[in-house]
Amino acid sequence: SPWKPGLPLLLLSPQAFSTTCARCAKDRRLRRKRAISERQLTRYFVDQRRVRVVGGQGGGGGHSFHSEPRKVFGGPDGGNGGDGGHVIFKADQQMKSLSSVFPFYQGFHGERGGSKNCYGANGAHMYVKVPVGTLVKEDGRVVADLTQHGEEYIAAYGGAGGKGNRFFLSNENRAPKLFTPGEPGQERVLHLELKTTAHAGLVGFPNAGKSSLLRAISRAKPAVAAYPFTTLNPHVGIVHYQDYEQVAVADIPGLIKGAHQNRGLGTAFLKHIERCRFLLYVLDLSVPQPWTQLQDLKYELEAYEKGLSERPCVVIGNKVDLAQSRINLPLLREQVAERVIALSALTGDNLEELLLHLRELYDTYVKTEQSRGQSPVKW
Protein backbone atom coordinates (compact mmCIF):
# COMPACT_ATOMS: atom_id res chain seq x y z
CA SER A 1 0.00 0.00 0.00
CA PRO A 2 1.35 3.51 -0.82
CA TRP A 3 -0.01 4.92 2.42
CA LYS A 4 2.53 5.58 5.08
CA PRO A 5 1.92 6.36 8.73
CA GLY A 6 1.77 10.06 9.39
CA LEU A 7 0.31 11.06 5.99
CA PRO A 8 -3.28 12.26 5.96
CA LEU A 9 -5.64 10.11 3.90
CA LEU A 10 -7.01 13.24 2.18
CA LEU A 11 -3.88 13.50 0.01
CA LEU A 12 -4.46 10.02 -1.38
CA SER A 13 -8.08 10.54 -2.29
CA PRO A 14 -8.88 10.41 -6.03
CA GLN A 15 -10.26 13.94 -5.93
CA ALA A 16 -6.84 15.29 -4.94
CA PHE A 17 -5.38 14.17 -8.29
CA SER A 18 -8.49 14.81 -10.38
CA THR A 19 -8.38 17.26 -13.29
CA THR A 20 -12.14 17.75 -13.30
CA CYS A 21 -12.65 19.32 -9.91
CA ALA A 22 -13.61 22.96 -9.58
CA ARG A 23 -10.14 23.96 -8.40
CA CYS A 24 -8.00 22.13 -11.00
CA ALA A 25 -10.18 22.06 -14.08
CA LYS A 26 -10.10 24.84 -16.64
CA ASP A 27 -13.03 27.16 -16.98
CA ARG A 28 -15.10 25.67 -19.80
CA ARG A 29 -18.01 28.04 -19.55
CA LEU A 30 -19.02 29.87 -22.70
CA ARG A 31 -17.87 33.43 -22.45
CA ARG A 32 -19.97 36.25 -23.79
CA LYS A 33 -18.57 38.03 -26.79
CA ARG A 34 -17.17 41.43 -26.02
CA ALA A 35 -19.37 44.28 -27.17
CA ILE A 36 -17.95 46.04 -30.21
CA SER A 37 -17.97 49.81 -30.12
CA GLU A 38 -19.15 51.90 -33.04
CA ARG A 39 -15.63 52.90 -34.05
CA GLN A 40 -14.47 49.31 -33.97
CA LEU A 41 -17.53 48.27 -35.95
CA THR A 42 -16.59 50.57 -38.82
CA ARG A 43 -13.62 48.31 -39.52
CA TYR A 44 -16.04 45.46 -40.19
CA PHE A 45 -18.64 47.45 -42.13
CA VAL A 46 -17.60 47.77 -45.76
CA ASP A 47 -19.92 49.09 -48.45
CA GLN A 48 -17.44 49.07 -51.36
CA ARG A 49 -15.17 46.33 -52.61
CA ARG A 50 -13.02 45.74 -55.69
CA VAL A 51 -13.06 42.07 -56.68
CA ARG A 52 -11.13 40.20 -59.35
CA VAL A 53 -12.97 37.09 -60.50
CA VAL A 54 -11.64 34.32 -62.74
CA GLY A 55 -13.67 31.39 -63.99
CA GLY A 56 -12.34 27.88 -63.65
CA GLN A 57 -10.28 26.47 -66.50
CA GLY A 58 -11.76 23.67 -68.58
CA GLY A 59 -10.19 20.25 -68.42
CA GLY A 60 -8.10 19.03 -71.34
CA GLY A 61 -9.36 16.39 -73.73
CA GLY A 62 -8.25 12.78 -73.37
CA HIS A 63 -5.85 11.04 -75.76
CA SER A 64 -6.04 7.27 -75.79
CA PHE A 65 -6.79 4.30 -78.09
CA HIS A 66 -8.90 1.32 -77.19
CA SER A 67 -7.18 -2.03 -77.13
CA GLU A 68 -8.30 -5.39 -75.75
CA PRO A 69 -8.00 -9.06 -76.74
CA ARG A 70 -9.44 -9.83 -80.16
CA LYS A 71 -9.89 -6.08 -80.67
CA VAL A 72 -6.42 -4.66 -80.91
CA PHE A 73 -7.29 -1.65 -83.08
CA GLY A 74 -10.38 -0.44 -81.24
CA GLY A 75 -9.98 3.15 -82.34
CA PRO A 76 -9.72 6.37 -80.34
CA ASP A 77 -11.58 6.54 -77.02
CA GLY A 78 -10.33 9.75 -75.37
CA GLY A 79 -13.23 11.64 -73.74
CA ASN A 80 -13.85 15.37 -73.54
CA GLY A 81 -12.68 17.43 -70.57
CA GLY A 82 -15.05 18.93 -68.03
CA ASP A 83 -16.11 22.57 -68.05
CA GLY A 84 -14.67 24.97 -65.52
CA GLY A 85 -16.84 26.29 -62.70
CA HIS A 86 -18.43 29.74 -62.67
CA VAL A 87 -17.99 32.46 -60.05
CA ILE A 88 -21.49 33.45 -58.93
CA PHE A 89 -22.58 36.33 -56.68
CA LYS A 90 -25.61 35.37 -54.59
CA ALA A 91 -27.63 37.82 -52.51
CA ASP A 92 -28.10 36.65 -48.93
CA GLN A 93 -30.31 38.44 -46.44
CA GLN A 94 -28.09 37.36 -43.55
CA MET A 95 -25.15 39.32 -44.95
CA LYS A 96 -25.05 42.95 -43.84
CA SER A 97 -21.65 44.07 -45.10
CA LEU A 98 -19.10 43.42 -47.83
CA SER A 99 -16.36 42.88 -45.25
CA SER A 100 -16.42 39.10 -45.77
CA VAL A 101 -15.92 39.41 -49.55
CA PHE A 102 -12.33 38.65 -50.58
CA PRO A 103 -10.53 40.61 -53.33
CA PHE A 104 -10.02 37.51 -55.51
CA TYR A 105 -12.14 34.49 -56.44
CA GLN A 106 -11.56 31.71 -58.93
CA GLY A 107 -13.86 28.90 -59.98
CA PHE A 108 -12.82 25.27 -59.72
CA HIS A 109 -11.11 23.69 -62.72
CA GLY A 110 -12.67 20.94 -64.80
CA GLU A 111 -11.09 17.49 -64.86
CA ARG A 112 -9.27 16.00 -67.83
CA GLY A 113 -11.05 13.55 -70.10
CA GLY A 114 -10.18 9.90 -69.58
CA SER A 115 -9.96 6.75 -71.64
CA LYS A 116 -12.92 4.54 -72.61
CA ASN A 117 -14.80 7.65 -73.71
CA CYS A 118 -15.02 8.90 -70.12
CA TYR A 119 -15.78 12.60 -69.86
CA GLY A 120 -14.06 14.71 -67.24
CA ALA A 121 -16.12 16.06 -64.36
CA ASN A 122 -17.23 19.70 -64.48
CA GLY A 123 -15.66 22.07 -61.98
CA ALA A 124 -17.82 23.15 -59.05
CA HIS A 125 -19.21 26.67 -59.06
CA MET A 126 -17.81 29.21 -56.62
CA TYR A 127 -20.67 30.98 -54.80
CA VAL A 128 -19.93 34.33 -53.16
CA LYS A 129 -22.53 35.61 -50.71
CA VAL A 130 -23.20 39.35 -50.85
CA PRO A 131 -25.75 41.49 -48.99
CA VAL A 132 -29.13 42.27 -50.48
CA GLY A 133 -28.92 45.61 -52.28
CA THR A 134 -25.47 45.07 -53.80
CA LEU A 135 -24.67 46.79 -57.08
CA VAL A 136 -22.16 45.11 -59.40
CA LYS A 137 -20.29 47.55 -61.63
CA GLU A 138 -17.75 47.09 -64.39
CA ASP A 139 -15.88 50.12 -65.73
CA GLY A 140 -18.44 52.40 -64.07
CA ARG A 141 -21.39 50.64 -65.70
CA VAL A 142 -23.98 48.75 -63.64
CA VAL A 143 -24.14 45.14 -64.80
CA ALA A 144 -26.25 43.67 -61.97
CA ASP A 145 -28.47 44.84 -59.13
CA LEU A 146 -29.10 42.16 -56.51
CA THR A 147 -32.19 43.38 -54.66
CA GLN A 148 -33.92 40.08 -53.81
CA HIS A 149 -32.87 37.31 -51.44
CA GLY A 150 -31.41 34.38 -53.39
CA GLU A 151 -30.86 36.39 -56.58
CA GLU A 152 -27.74 35.31 -58.46
CA TYR A 153 -25.39 36.85 -61.00
CA ILE A 154 -22.69 34.95 -62.89
CA ALA A 155 -19.65 37.16 -62.44
CA ALA A 156 -17.21 35.00 -64.44
CA TYR A 157 -17.95 32.04 -66.69
CA GLY A 158 -15.84 28.92 -66.52
CA GLY A 159 -13.89 27.79 -69.58
CA ALA A 160 -15.18 25.04 -71.84
CA GLY A 161 -13.58 21.63 -71.62
CA GLY A 162 -11.22 20.41 -74.35
CA LYS A 163 -12.11 17.80 -76.96
CA GLY A 164 -10.68 14.31 -76.78
CA ASN A 165 -9.31 12.47 -79.81
CA ARG A 166 -12.56 10.53 -80.05
CA PHE A 167 -14.24 13.79 -81.11
CA PHE A 168 -12.03 14.04 -84.21
CA LEU A 169 -12.84 10.54 -85.51
CA SER A 170 -14.02 10.62 -89.14
CA ASN A 171 -14.03 8.43 -92.23
CA GLU A 172 -10.95 10.20 -93.52
CA ASN A 173 -9.07 9.94 -90.19
CA ARG A 174 -9.70 6.65 -88.40
CA ALA A 175 -6.89 7.10 -85.85
CA PRO A 176 -6.82 10.78 -84.87
CA LYS A 177 -4.13 11.86 -82.48
CA LEU A 178 -5.45 15.38 -82.14
CA PHE A 179 -6.93 16.60 -78.84
CA THR A 180 -7.46 20.12 -77.51
CA PRO A 181 -6.71 21.64 -74.09
CA GLY A 182 -9.37 23.28 -71.96
CA GLU A 183 -10.19 26.94 -72.43
CA PRO A 184 -9.27 29.43 -69.69
CA GLY A 185 -12.06 30.92 -67.62
CA GLN A 186 -13.40 34.44 -68.01
CA GLU A 187 -11.49 37.09 -66.07
CA ARG A 188 -13.07 40.34 -64.90
CA VAL A 189 -12.49 43.12 -62.40
CA LEU A 190 -15.74 44.16 -60.74
CA HIS A 191 -16.67 46.82 -58.23
CA LEU A 192 -19.26 45.94 -55.59
CA GLU A 193 -21.25 48.74 -54.01
CA LEU A 194 -23.72 48.22 -51.18
CA LYS A 195 -26.85 50.32 -50.88
CA THR A 196 -28.85 49.52 -47.79
CA THR A 197 -32.32 48.25 -48.68
CA ALA A 198 -34.92 49.44 -46.16
CA HIS A 199 -38.48 50.70 -46.24
CA ALA A 200 -37.87 53.87 -44.23
CA GLY A 201 -34.79 55.99 -43.71
CA LEU A 202 -34.05 58.16 -40.70
CA VAL A 203 -32.51 61.38 -42.02
CA GLY A 204 -31.22 64.13 -39.77
CA PHE A 205 -28.28 66.13 -38.56
CA PRO A 206 -25.84 64.75 -35.95
CA ASN A 207 -27.23 64.47 -32.41
CA ALA A 208 -30.83 64.74 -33.62
CA GLY A 209 -31.67 61.47 -31.87
CA LYS A 210 -31.90 59.07 -34.82
CA SER A 211 -30.06 56.24 -33.09
CA SER A 212 -32.08 56.68 -29.89
CA LEU A 213 -35.29 56.60 -31.93
CA LEU A 214 -34.25 53.42 -33.72
CA ARG A 215 -33.46 51.83 -30.36
CA ALA A 216 -36.91 52.81 -29.09
CA ILE A 217 -38.94 51.33 -31.97
CA SER A 218 -36.83 48.26 -32.79
CA ARG A 219 -34.27 45.87 -31.35
CA ALA A 220 -31.33 47.47 -33.15
CA LYS A 221 -28.54 48.66 -30.85
CA PRO A 222 -26.64 51.50 -32.53
CA ALA A 223 -24.21 53.43 -30.37
CA VAL A 224 -25.68 56.44 -28.54
CA ALA A 225 -23.59 59.25 -27.05
CA ALA A 226 -23.69 63.00 -26.46
CA TYR A 227 -21.11 63.84 -29.14
CA PRO A 228 -21.78 64.19 -32.89
CA PHE A 229 -21.08 61.45 -35.45
CA THR A 230 -21.63 58.70 -32.91
CA THR A 231 -23.07 56.50 -35.66
CA LEU A 232 -20.46 55.85 -38.31
CA ASN A 233 -22.26 53.21 -40.37
CA PRO A 234 -25.91 52.53 -41.23
CA HIS A 235 -28.01 50.36 -38.94
CA VAL A 236 -31.24 48.64 -39.93
CA GLY A 237 -33.92 47.96 -37.31
CA ILE A 238 -37.10 45.92 -37.82
CA VAL A 239 -40.44 47.19 -36.50
CA HIS A 240 -42.79 44.27 -35.81
CA TYR A 241 -46.58 44.58 -35.97
CA GLN A 242 -49.28 42.30 -34.60
CA ASP A 243 -50.25 41.01 -38.06
CA TYR A 244 -46.64 39.81 -38.55
CA GLU A 245 -45.77 42.59 -40.96
CA GLN A 246 -42.23 43.88 -40.63
CA VAL A 247 -41.05 47.36 -41.58
CA ALA A 248 -37.32 47.95 -41.98
CA VAL A 249 -36.02 51.32 -40.75
CA ALA A 250 -32.46 52.41 -41.59
CA ASP A 251 -30.47 54.81 -39.41
CA ILE A 252 -28.42 56.85 -41.86
CA PRO A 253 -25.36 58.54 -40.28
CA GLY A 254 -25.76 62.24 -39.63
CA LEU A 255 -25.55 64.65 -42.54
CA ILE A 256 -24.11 68.15 -42.47
CA LYS A 257 -24.29 71.11 -44.80
CA GLY A 258 -22.35 70.36 -47.96
CA ALA A 259 -22.66 66.58 -47.64
CA HIS A 260 -23.42 66.31 -51.38
CA GLN A 261 -19.99 67.90 -51.94
CA ASN A 262 -18.39 65.08 -49.93
CA ARG A 263 -18.10 67.06 -46.70
CA GLY A 264 -18.29 65.33 -43.36
CA LEU A 265 -19.15 61.71 -44.00
CA GLY A 266 -19.86 62.88 -47.54
CA THR A 267 -21.63 60.89 -50.21
CA ALA A 268 -20.50 57.60 -48.66
CA PHE A 269 -23.85 57.28 -46.87
CA LEU A 270 -26.09 59.48 -49.01
CA LYS A 271 -26.31 56.56 -51.43
CA HIS A 272 -27.98 54.42 -48.74
CA ILE A 273 -30.99 56.76 -48.81
CA GLU A 274 -31.62 55.98 -52.50
CA ARG A 275 -33.13 52.58 -51.64
CA CYS A 276 -35.49 53.90 -48.95
CA ARG A 277 -39.13 54.01 -50.05
CA PHE A 278 -40.11 56.81 -47.65
CA LEU A 279 -38.16 59.14 -45.38
CA LEU A 280 -38.42 60.12 -41.73
CA TYR A 281 -36.88 63.54 -41.13
CA VAL A 282 -35.69 63.70 -37.51
CA LEU A 283 -35.37 67.26 -36.20
CA ASP A 284 -34.02 68.48 -32.88
CA LEU A 285 -36.77 70.65 -31.39
CA SER A 286 -34.49 72.10 -28.71
CA VAL A 287 -32.39 74.17 -31.15
CA PRO A 288 -33.48 77.62 -32.39
CA GLN A 289 -35.54 77.59 -35.59
CA PRO A 290 -35.68 73.80 -36.04
CA TRP A 291 -37.48 74.17 -39.41
CA THR A 292 -34.21 75.28 -40.97
CA GLN A 293 -32.90 71.75 -40.40
CA LEU A 294 -35.61 70.38 -42.67
CA GLN A 295 -34.79 72.89 -45.39
CA ASP A 296 -31.10 72.06 -45.26
CA LEU A 297 -31.75 68.31 -45.30
CA LYS A 298 -34.03 68.53 -48.32
CA TYR A 299 -31.50 70.70 -50.11
CA GLU A 300 -28.73 68.16 -49.54
CA LEU A 301 -30.88 65.27 -50.76
CA GLU A 302 -32.04 67.16 -53.84
CA ALA A 303 -28.49 68.25 -54.67
CA TYR A 304 -27.32 64.64 -54.43
CA GLU A 305 -30.13 63.17 -56.55
CA LYS A 306 -32.99 65.02 -58.15
CA GLY A 307 -36.38 63.96 -56.82
CA LEU A 308 -34.97 62.28 -53.70
CA SER A 309 -36.48 64.90 -51.36
CA GLU A 310 -39.94 64.47 -52.94
CA ARG A 311 -40.48 60.95 -51.65
CA PRO A 312 -43.26 60.28 -49.09
CA CYS A 313 -42.10 61.53 -45.74
CA VAL A 314 -43.02 62.61 -42.25
CA VAL A 315 -41.32 65.15 -39.99
CA ILE A 316 -40.40 63.94 -36.50
CA GLY A 317 -39.80 66.55 -33.82
CA ASN A 318 -37.58 64.82 -31.28
CA LYS A 319 -36.68 65.77 -27.68
CA VAL A 320 -40.17 67.08 -26.89
CA ASP A 321 -39.47 66.36 -23.21
CA LEU A 322 -37.32 69.53 -23.05
CA ALA A 323 -38.87 72.89 -22.15
CA GLN A 324 -37.46 74.70 -25.19
CA SER A 325 -38.86 72.03 -27.48
CA ARG A 326 -42.43 72.69 -26.32
CA ILE A 327 -41.97 76.34 -27.27
CA ASN A 328 -40.59 75.54 -30.73
CA LEU A 329 -43.19 72.88 -31.58
CA PRO A 330 -46.07 75.23 -32.59
CA LEU A 331 -43.61 77.40 -34.52
CA LEU A 332 -42.38 74.34 -36.43
CA ARG A 333 -45.90 73.31 -37.39
CA GLU A 334 -46.55 76.79 -38.76
CA GLN A 335 -43.44 76.71 -40.95
CA VAL A 336 -43.68 73.12 -42.21
CA ALA A 337 -46.33 71.84 -44.63
CA GLU A 338 -45.70 68.15 -43.89
CA ARG A 339 -47.17 66.27 -40.97
CA VAL A 340 -45.19 66.77 -37.76
CA ILE A 341 -45.05 64.08 -35.08
CA ALA A 342 -43.65 65.33 -31.78
CA LEU A 343 -42.10 62.65 -29.58
CA SER A 344 -39.28 61.84 -27.23
CA ALA A 345 -37.05 58.90 -28.07
CA LEU A 346 -35.55 59.09 -24.57
CA THR A 347 -38.77 58.83 -22.57
CA GLY A 348 -40.91 57.08 -25.22
CA ASP A 349 -43.60 59.78 -25.36
CA ASN A 350 -45.91 59.60 -28.39
CA LEU A 351 -44.12 56.70 -30.06
CA GLU A 352 -47.49 55.10 -30.84
CA GLU A 353 -48.40 57.85 -33.27
CA LEU A 354 -45.14 57.33 -35.14
CA LEU A 355 -45.65 53.56 -35.35
CA LEU A 356 -49.19 53.98 -36.67
CA HIS A 357 -48.15 56.51 -39.29
CA LEU A 358 -45.16 54.34 -40.25
CA ARG A 359 -47.57 51.49 -40.94
CA GLU A 360 -49.74 53.80 -43.08
CA LEU A 361 -46.72 54.74 -45.19
CA TYR A 362 -45.80 51.08 -45.54
CA ASP A 363 -49.32 50.04 -46.60
CA THR A 364 -49.39 52.82 -49.18
CA TYR A 365 -46.05 51.65 -50.55
CA VAL A 366 -47.29 48.03 -50.80
CA LYS A 367 -50.46 49.04 -52.65
CA THR A 368 -48.49 51.23 -55.05
CA GLU A 369 -46.06 48.44 -55.91
CA GLN A 370 -48.86 45.91 -56.39
CA SER A 371 -50.77 48.28 -58.67
CA ARG A 372 -47.64 48.54 -60.86
CA GLY A 373 -47.39 44.76 -61.04
CA GLN A 374 -44.22 44.66 -58.93
CA SER A 375 -43.57 42.77 -55.72
CA PRO A 376 -42.82 44.98 -52.68
CA VAL A 377 -39.72 44.37 -50.60
CA LYS A 378 -40.51 42.10 -47.65
CA TRP A 379 -38.45 41.43 -44.52
Side-chain angles (χ1 to χ4, degrees):
S1 174
W3 178 79
K4 296 180 181 180
L7 291 178
L9 291 176
L10 180 62
L11 295 178
L12 299 178
S13 62
Q15 189 175 6
F17 300 97
S18 174
T19 59
T20 59
C21 65
R23 177 179 296 180
C24 303
K26 295 182 179 179
D27 187 8
R28 297 185 179 90
R29 292 177 298 178
L30 295 178
R31 298 179 180 178
R32 294 184 58 186
K33 291 185 177 181
R34 185 173 56 183
I36 301 178
S37 66
E38 187 70 26
R39 291 190 177 274
Q40 291 174 328
L41 191 60
T42 55
R43 297 182 301 172
Y44 304 99
F45 182 82
V46 179
D47 56 0
Q48 289 185 357
R49 185 72 89 186
R50 180 180 179 270
V51 184
R52 177 171 166 259
V53 290
V54 180
Q57 184 173 358
H63 175 262
S64 64
F65 290 89
H66 184 69
S67 178
E68 60 177 311
R70 296 182 299 275
K71 195 176 182 182
V72 180
F73 301 102
D77 64 348
N80 298 338
D83 297 334
H86 307 325
V87 179
I88 303 175
F89 292 148
K90 186 174 183 179
D92 191 349
Q93 198 168 358
Q94 300 297 326
M95 303 291 293
K96 302 302 180 184
S97 172
L98 294 174
S99 58
S100 60
V101 177
F102 294 108
F104 176 75
Y105 287 97
Q106 184 173 19
F108 294 94
H109 302 318
E111 295 185 3
R112 185 179 183 85
S115 59
K116 300 181 181 179
N117 296 322
C118 291
Y119 281 40
N122 295 332
H125 300 320
M126 172 70 70
Y127 285 91
V128 181
K129 293 183 179 181
V130 296
V132 176
T134 300
L135 279 178
V136 183
K137 294 183 178 181
E138 185 178 18
D139 298 330
R141 180 175 56 90
V142 178
V143 295
D145 190 0
L146 307 177
T147 58
Q148 300 291 335
H149 175 72
E151 192 174 356
E152 297 180 359
Y153 172 70
I154 301 178
Y157 287 92
K163 303 298 182 182
N165 62 341
R166 171 72 181 179
F167 178 82
F168 298 98
L169 177 65
S170 64
N171 292 332
E172 291 78 14
N173 188 4
R174 304 304 301 175
K177 298 182 180 180
L178 178 64
F179 64 97
T180 60
E183 296 182 0
Q186 184 183 16
E187 182 175 354
R188 304 170 69 185
V189 176
L190 303 175
H191 293 267
L192 304 183
E193 181 178 327
L194 175 60
K195 294 185 178 181
T196 304
T197 301
H199 299 120
L202 295 175
V203 184
F205 285 105
N207 275 22
K210 301 183 299 299
S211 299
S212 301
L213 181 59
L214 188 64
R215 278 173 166 260
I217 63 178
S218 69
R219 295 182 179 179
K221 300 297 182 184
V224 175
Y227 51 85
F229 295 107
T230 308
T231 304
L232 297 177
N233 61 277
H235 290 266
V236 179
I238 308 300
V239 181
H240 299 269
Y241 289 90
Q242 294 182 354
D243 57 352
Y244 302 105
E245 286 288 349
Q246 299 179 353
V247 180
V249 182
D251 175 19
I252 309 300
L255 306 178
I256 63 173
K257 293 183 180 180
H260 68 281
Q261 299 175 349
N262 211 19
R263 294 180 181 175
L265 295 178
T267 59
F269 297 111
L270 273 171
K271 61 186 177 184
H272 294 283
I273 308 177
E274 297 179 25
R275 296 294 178 90
C276 298
R277 273 61 183 181
F278 40 89
L279 305 177
L280 307 179
Y281 294 102
V282 182
L283 308 182
D284 186 357
L285 286 178
S286 62
V287 300
Q289 298 181 352
W291 54 87
T292 58
Q293 300 180 30
L294 180 61
Q295 299 172 359
D296 295 336
L297 290 173
K298 286 189 174 183
Y299 173 77
E300 294 298 328
L301 297 183
E302 195 67 22
Y304 174 74
E305 181 182 347
K306 188 175 182 180
L308 189 59
S309 63
E310 299 177 359
R311 295 189 180 181
C313 64
V314 62
V315 178
I316 299 174
N318 194 18
K319 304 181 182 180
V320 74
D321 53 309
L322 301 179
Q324 186 62 36
S325 300
R326 301 190 188 96
I327 300 175
N328 294 334
L329 179 59
L331 302 177
L332 175 63
R333 287 175 172 167
E334 293 177 0
Q335 299 288 336
V336 174
E338 293 83 359
R339 179 176 178 178
V340 178
I341 299 178
L343 54 82
S344 174
L346 180 63
T347 62
D349 294 342
N350 206 23
L351 287 179
E352 295 81 4
E353 183 181 355
L354 173 61
L355 296 177
L356 291 175
H357 188 66
L358 184 64
R359 181 58 188 271
E360 294 176 2
L361 293 173
Y362 173 75
D363 293 339
T364 303
Y365 155 72
V366 171
K367 293 179 181 178
T368 303
E369 292 295 314
Q370 292 176 351
S371 63
R372 297 176 180 174
Q374 301 178 359
S375 57
V377 177
K378 295 286 186 177
W379 280 76

